[in-house]
């Protein structure tokens, strides 16, 4: 029991957060709970505090909409929050699509798809192209381009308000991640992940690698959905500073040598040493 | 030894080629993706026959302003409002309602509007003198198919008239003699577009198999006169003529004789 908790504590916490948030949103629509109303595009916390998806707000601005105060304040609150705790913490702790793509990633590992198709034919910086493309299309078409195709809001809205054919989109993402491209949606395409990657560059909570304890077993790199962020493993002691790290903490859990842990970025020390 | 610099050069030019190839390939993928994406978005937002919640701004602005959070849907006490799901063939995630299923019951406090965070539902458009006023909402306009409305057959039915929350104002009943029987009257409903809010209670109440009175978006249901017609009998309307400028045009008159056109083929008529 103790080892289960030790090996999966963050995973359990993450799934609890993800499902708990879904339950709160679902309860707001189904039973009139007032804690968290709306959905991930925009919500109302405690019936007073607005929370809004900052990338959606950017698209609205690009499309030429007049941004309401609630949207601006909500987007700022969300941006500040993720700026502090790690941009892509949204991806691994909140986003419901993460459940789908994590399932695909686990199955991929279990069925050894990874070892058969090692070559990854696509670049992980594609998401930044999609991010910009979304804004350009919003600008040209005068509608929020990504919001009309986003599988994230599709699934989240689906769970809260009724799914319709949304399950088909989830199946496609699952199969795509499973057979076409490892971490295909979340690690290559999703522009919202790209947006939070940019935010996450400066965030405070970081995974720290302590090379003295490392035995180079590379379990962390196997389990990491963004393994390129762990380039320092077995080489040097350093914080994982890439914004693409989702702070999912799977690496921290699978490490049996205590070489990975959460830390708070040392801003002041860095300034002094001029790094 | 002589080969060394040229090999380096080769490698450099290969790197350059690779770089150019990679850039053009990325641009190509982006162009293809952008094309498919924008084509889809264009199609997906083209739906016109949608009834929006009260206070909704113009459809074009609505599509770029609505953040699809569903707070209006959650606020609606009658479950009137729905969020468009994939497969509904409506702009995905945006709120709408189907009056034949559940109409808008026109709550006086309009809970769906003030909760909107994005301004897609505009509170000021349903406010008179600082107080929320659902009676001035313009969700749509009821239109009547008088072929399938049994009142136009001469059967007495005032279901829509009775169901209307603005009783006697948005729908009135007109009397006309029924010449077929010679002793009965037609009591036919007439919708007044200046009063009708498009709530759809009439559509819900209609007794025919498929409603003979139904709500359409105002943009779809109404024509537009244009500003070149002026009601000469209306003092206010005639004021538009003040400050109007004259535009003189001159059409050249054909020099051919009028008789000639009778003898020619129809070519010179066009």
């Amino acid at each position: 029991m103790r080892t289960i908790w030790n090996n999966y504590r963050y995973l359990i916490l993450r799934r609890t957060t993800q499902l708990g948030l879904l339950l709160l949103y679902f309860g707001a629509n189904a039973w009139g709970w007032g804690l968290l109303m709306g959905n991930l595009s925009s919500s109302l916390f405690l019936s007073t505090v607005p929370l809004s998806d900052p990338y959606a707000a950017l698209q609205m601005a690009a499309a030429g909409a007049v941004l309401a105060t609630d949207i601006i304040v909500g987007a700022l609150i969300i941006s500040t929050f993720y700026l502090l705790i790690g941009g892509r913490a949204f991806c691994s702790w909140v986003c419901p699509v993460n459940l789908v793509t994590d399932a695909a990633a686990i199955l991929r590992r279990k069925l050894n798809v990874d070892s058969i198709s090692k070559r990854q034919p696509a670049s992980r910086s594609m998401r930044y192209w999609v991010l910009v493309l979304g804004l350009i299309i919003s600008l040209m078409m005068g509608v929020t381009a990504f919001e009309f195709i986003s599988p994230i809001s599709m699934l989240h809205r689906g769970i809260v308000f009724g799914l319709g054919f949304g399950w088909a989109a989830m199946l496609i993402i699952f199969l795509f991640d499973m057979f076409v491209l490892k971490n295909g949606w979340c690690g290559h395409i999703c522009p919202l992940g790209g947006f939070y990657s940019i935010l996450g560059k400066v965030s405070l909570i970081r995974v720290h690698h302590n090379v003295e304890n490392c035995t180079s077993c590379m379990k962390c790199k196997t389990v990491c959905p963004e393994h390129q962020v762990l380039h320092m493993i077995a080489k040097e002691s350093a914080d994982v500073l890439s914004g693409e790290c989702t702070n999912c903490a799977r690496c921290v859990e699978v490490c049996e040598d205590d070489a990975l842990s959460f830390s708070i970025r040392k801003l002041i020390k860095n300034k002094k040493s001029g790094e | 030894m002589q080969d060394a610099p040229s090999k380096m050069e080769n490698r450099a030019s290969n790197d350059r080629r690779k770089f150019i190839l990679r850039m053009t390939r990325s641009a190509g993928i982006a162009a293809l993706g952008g094309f498919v994406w924008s084509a889809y978005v264009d199609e997906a937002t083209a739906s016109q026959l949608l009834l929006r919640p009260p206070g909704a701004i113009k459809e074009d602005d609505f599509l770029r302003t609505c953040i699809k959070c569903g707070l209006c849907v959650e606020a609606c006490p009658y479950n009137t409002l729905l969020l468009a799901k994939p497969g509904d063939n409506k702009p995905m995630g945006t709120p709408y309602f189907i009056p034949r299923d559940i109409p808008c019951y026109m709550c006086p406090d309009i809970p769906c509007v003030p909760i909107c965070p994005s301004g897609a539902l505009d509170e000021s458009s349903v406010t008179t003198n600082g107080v929320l006023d659902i009676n001035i909402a313009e969700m749509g306009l009821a239109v009547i198919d008088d072929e399938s409305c049994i009142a136009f057959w001469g059967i007495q039915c005032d279901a829509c008239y009775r169901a209307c929350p603005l009783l006697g104002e948005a729908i009135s009943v007109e009397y006309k003699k029924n010449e077929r029987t010679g002793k009965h009257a037609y009591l036919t409903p007439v919708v007044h577009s200046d009063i009708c809010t498009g709530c759809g209670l009439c559509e819900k109440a209609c007794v025919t198999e498929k409603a003979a009175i139904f709500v359409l978006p105002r943009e779809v249901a109404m024509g537009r006169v244009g500003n070149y017609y002026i009601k000469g009998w209306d003092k206010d309307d005639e004021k538009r003529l003040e400050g109007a400028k004259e535009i003189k045009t001159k059409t050249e008159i054909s020099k051919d004789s009028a008789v000639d056109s009778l003898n020619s083929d129809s070519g010179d008529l066009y």
Side-chain angles (χ1 to χ4, degrees), chain B residues 116-144:
Chain B
C116 176
S118 66
L121 304 179
D122 177 17
E123 213 174 318
S124 69
S125 74
V126 281
T127 303
T128 26
N129 302 327
V131 185
L132 284 172
D133 181 7
I134 187 65
N135 292 350
I136 62 165
E138 294 186 333
M139 293 172 271
L141 176 61
V143 294
I144 299 167

Side-chain angles (χ1 to χ4, degrees), chain A residues 29 37-39 41-42 60 63 65 68 70-71 129 133-134 137 141-146 148-149 154 157 161-165, chain B residues 26 30 33-34 37-38 40-42 45 63-65 67-71 73-74 83 85-87 91-93 115 117-119:
Chain A
N29 188 41
M37 297 159 78
N39 60 31
S41 301
S42 190
M60 288 165 70
D70 274 7
I71 298 288
W129 287 78
L133 200 59
I137 295 175
M141 314 278 293
V143 292
T144 48
F146 183 61
F148 279 101
I149 60 165
M154 202 189 291
R157 245 191 341 256
F161 297 99
L163 192 56
F165 269 109
Chain B
S26 307
W37 188 351
S38 51
Y40 171 78
V41 167
D42 199 32
T45 54
L63 286 174
R64 66 180 124 235
T65 310
I67 199 166
K68 308 168 191 65
C69 63
L71 283 171
V73 176
E74 288 179 6
L83 276 194
K85 299 188 290 286
M92 209 197 300
I115 203 163
S118 66

Side-chain angles (χ1 to χ4, degrees), chain B residues 42-121:
Chain B
D42 199 32
E43 279 299 307
T45 54
S47 171
Q48 274 201 312
L49 295 169
L50 266 184
L51 296 175
R52 297 295 187 193
I57 57 179
K58 239 175 67 228
E59 183 68 12
D60 281 356
D61 292 328
F62 191 86
L63 286 174
R64 66 180 124 235
T65 310
C66 172
I67 199 166
K68 308 168 191 65
C69 63
L71 283 171
C72 53
V73 176
E74 288 179 6
C76 179
Y78 295 99
N79 294 330
T80 299
L81 294 176
L82 306 163
L83 276 194
K85 299 188 290 286
D88 285 350
N89 289 332
K90 299 192 167 64
M92 209 197 300
T94 55
Y96 69 102
F97 69 103
I98 304 171
R100 188 65 163 172
D101 296 341
I102 309 178
C104 170
Y105 288 95
M106 294 186 36
C107 319
D109 56 341
I110 330 181
C112 52
V113 175
I115 203 163
C116 176
S118 66
L121 304 179

